[in-house]
C-alpha cells in the first residue's frame, strides 16, 4: 500500500503526486513548494497547462 504525502503551505494543502509533472504559476514565496512537489514553476501572471489554469 503506497502512502500519500500531504504538504500544507499557509492555508493550502496539496498531494504532490497530483502536481508532479505539471506546470504552475505561483506566488514567489510558494515556488519552492511547487518545485518540491515535482512540478515546474512558470514565471507568468497566468498560465495554462493542458486543462489546468493557474494564476
Amino acid at each position: 500500500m503506497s502512502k500519500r504525502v500531504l504538504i500544507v503551505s499557509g492555508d493550502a494543502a496539496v498531494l504532490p503526486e497530483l502536481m508532479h509533472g505539471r506546470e504552475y504559476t505561483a506566488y514567489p514565496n510558494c515556488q519552492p513548494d511547487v518545485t518540491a512537489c515535482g512540478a515546474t514553476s512558470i514565471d507568468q501572471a497566468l498560465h495554462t497547462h493542458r486543462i489546468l489554469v493557474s494564476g
Side-chain angles (χ1 to χ4, degrees):
M1 178 182 211
S2 65
K3 293 183 180 182
R4 294 183 116 184
V5 177
L6 180 68
I7 295 177
V8 178
S9 176
D11 293 330
V14 299
L15 294 169
E17 63 266 19
L18 298 177
M19 293 182 67
H20 184 80
R22 296 184 184 214
E23 297 174 349
Y24 294 88
T25 185
Y27 187 74
N29 292 347
C30 298
Q31 288 177 348
D33 296 329
V34 170
T35 55
C37 291
T40 301
S41 180
I42 304 295
D43 189 20
Q44 295 177 345
L46 186 64
H47 180 70
T48 303
H49 179 85
R50 299 184 197 149
I51 63 168
L52 175 72
V53 178
S54 61

